[in-house]
Amino acid sequence: LNFYLKCKELKPEFKSCLWNLSHCYLKLGKLDLGFNLYENRFLNENPVPKKFEEFKDVKSLDELAGKKVLIWDEQGLGDTINFSRFVVDLLYFTKNITFVVNHSLVDLLENLNENINVVDYDFLKTNPQKFDYQISLGSLPHLLKIKNKNELTFRPLILKEEKINLPKDRLNIGLTWFGNVNYPNDEYRSIALKYFKEILSIKNINYYKLSKGIKKIDLDEYNKFEIQDLGNKNFNQLSKYLMNLDLIISSDTVIAHLAGILNLSCILLLNFNSDWRWFYDDKKTPWYPSIKIIKQKKLNDWGPVFSSLKNELEIHLNKKIN
């Protein structure tokens, strides 16, 4: 933070500095300062591309009364799920909202609210429409004037439950330890499967893999255990399955956000150098009340994390058996 503040003093209009400074403030929970500077992502040396520039930007939400608004996603699938709560907040200003997202999220997020029309990009290409305004999903917290973590209203996604018969005498746990391998900071969120060896060996627990595919580095370890693979299911199908599990364990991936928005019991395993979205919280997160965090105390030191995780699993197992 001090380095970026000095950089800003020396070169006030250097947008890449302001973009990085926003992450410092956001990590510290100073959301008003952070989300204001977050807008520099469109202006830095490697800017986030703006979509739908044929429609007007919004300067104030008061402009939206009775207007037709297009909200477009940016960044990853987990970010889209996480920030979707702000699209619901926008209904206080207009009831005419179209939310365009990655096709894999349409069936899931169409359950956000009956007044929000959720579509994918192909739909808009084949069904061109006129909108009064467009807004990037990541700009909504700034427009809504979110100032601190207490204002991150939780809006659960309510889905119809479908009963799936799972063993009643065993603990049924969904597990994901890696996300998109092409993510630039993957080393700070994915976890090698070798660290899970001890918990995978606990008796009376069934594990279900929730991520697509498998990393080559984990393949040998993966083949040593009986882990049912659910990675081929789409998000809507997977959500119905998650609702039947006793617990979900996830590294910082879209699965954590999915469990969180569904208000399902989830343990989130975080690296010491975790993404700004988790702030410096190491037990709970204001984003999702059902998520419990276990976070490293030292960079890349997973030992204490998995000791705590083992204790948690023993508690859950005792509850299930008794």
Side-chain angles (χ1 to χ4, degrees):
L1 177 64
N2 289 331
F3 280 118
Y4 283 124
L5 287 173
K6 185 63 178 178
C7 176
K8 182 176 180 243
E9 178 186 327
L10 294 170
K11 201 171 181 180
E13 296 305 314
F14 184 28
K15 302 301 182 183
S16 291
C17 166
L18 300 178
W19 163 234
N20 284 288
L21 182 58
S22 76
H23 288 79
C24 292
Y25 283 132
L26 290 171
K27 180 82 170 182
L28 292 167
K30 298 180 179 181
L31 303 190
D32 50 348
L33 296 172
F35 282 127
N36 181 39
L37 292 171
Y38 200 64
E39 295 303 293
N40 286 284
R41 68 193 184 282
F42 299 120
L43 305 169
N44 63 19
E45 291 177 321
N46 297 296
V48 172
K50 273 200 173 185
K51 307 171 188 175
F52 305 102
E53 290 195 273
E54 64 269 28
F55 306 120
K56 288 195 295 186
D57 283 322
V58 175
K59 294 183 175 62
S60 168
L61 292 181
D62 294 332
E63 301 174 315
L64 299 184
K67 301 297 183 181
K68 192 174 182 181
V69 181
L70 176 66
I71 310 297
W72 48 273
D73 68 347
E74 56 173 301
Q75 302 184 55
L77 300 177
D79 300 294
T80 302
I81 292 174
N82 192 25
F83 274 38
S84 66
R85 72 191 67 211
F86 301 122
V87 183
V88 181
D89 288 337
L90 209 62
L91 289 170
Y92 291 112
F93 300 90
T94 179
K95 294 291 193 295
N96 200 337
I97 297 174
T98 296
F99 184 22
V100 56
V101 300
N102 183 287
H103 67 92
S104 65
L105 291 176
V106 172
D107 289 345
L108 178 73
L109 293 181
E110 66 182 4
N111 297 284
L112 272 176
N113 187 284
E114 60 183 8
N115 294 302
I116 298 172
N117 180 32
V118 180
V119 300
D120 63 18
Y121 287 88
D122 286 339
F123 178 86
L124 284 186
K125 283 180 182 178
T126 55
N127 299 272
Q129 302 175 44
K130 293 280 187 179
F131 294 93
D132 297 302
Y133 294 99
Q134 58 79 26
I135 309 173
S136 161
L137 181 61
S139 293
L140 285 180
H142 173 57
L143 287 168
L144 289 163
K145 295 182 170 57
I146 303 295
K147 294 181 179 179
N148 56 62
K149 295 192 291 183
N150 295 331
E151 297 176 13
L152 298 176
T153 305
F154 175 58
R155 299 194 179 281
L157 202 61
I158 308 300
L159 302 184
K160 183 180 178 181
E161 290 192 43
E162 293 182 10
K163 187 67 177 175
I164 297 174
N165 290 322
L166 300 177
K168 294 181 179 180
D169 58 343
R170 298 172 71 85
L171 198 62
N172 298 291
I173 297 179
L175 177 64
T176 181
W177 60 94
F178 66 96
N180 183 355
V181 294
N182 296 318
Y183 177 64
N185 292 318
D186 183 62
E187 64 180 303
Y188 295 121
R189 66 174 190 177
S190 291
I191 307 169
L193 188 59
K194 64 181 181 180
Y195 292 108
F196 291 84
K197 184 184 297 186
E198 189 171 359
I199 70 158
L200 289 172
S201 301
I202 299 175
K203 293 181 179 180
N204 298 319
I205 298 180
N206 284 350
Y207 287 99
Y208 303 82
K209 183 173 77 70
L210 306 176
S211 298
K212 293 185 182 298
I214 186 75
K215 283 185 169 184
K216 287 184 179 178
I217 194 173
D218 293 329
L219 197 54
D220 288 343
E221 204 68 53
Y222 179 74
N223 289 329
K224 294 177 184 177
F225 299 95
E226 291 185 12
I227 304 174
Q228 186 172 332
D229 191 355
L230 302 180
N232 62 335
K233 298 184 181 298
N234 63 41
F235 284 116
N236 205 37
Q237 295 168 336
L238 189 60
S239 297
K240 304 292 176 66
Y241 216 105
L242 297 188
M243 294 165 73
N244 286 269
L245 296 174
D246 297 300
L247 178 67
I248 296 148
I249 300 171
S250 179
S251 58
D252 183 6
T253 72
V254 62
I255 298 299
H257 292 284
L258 182 58
I261 200 172
L262 293 173
N263 206 26
L264 302 175
S265 180
C266 176
I267 295 176
L268 174 61
L269 307 178
L270 289 182
N271 192 294
F272 179 80
N273 191 22
S274 57
D275 188 79
W276 71 260
R277 285 161 187 79
W278 308 116
F279 310 113
Y280 277 102
D281 300 329
D282 60 0
K283 292 181 181 177
K284 299 292 289 182
T285 169
W287 295 108
Y288 307 109
S290 66
I291 285 183
K292 181 168 187 174
I293 294 173
I294 304 179
K295 185 175 179 177
Q296 289 181 348
K297 302 297 184 185
K298 291 169 55 180
L299 187 64
N300 292 327
D301 182 11
W302 287 112
V305 170
F306 280 88
S307 292
S308 297
L309 178 59
K310 185 182 178 184
N311 292 337
E312 287 289 329
L313 294 185
E314 288 173 351
I315 292 170
H316 279 273
L317 190 56
N318 285 334
K319 285 183 179 178
K320 183 70 181 278
I321 291 174
N322 293 328

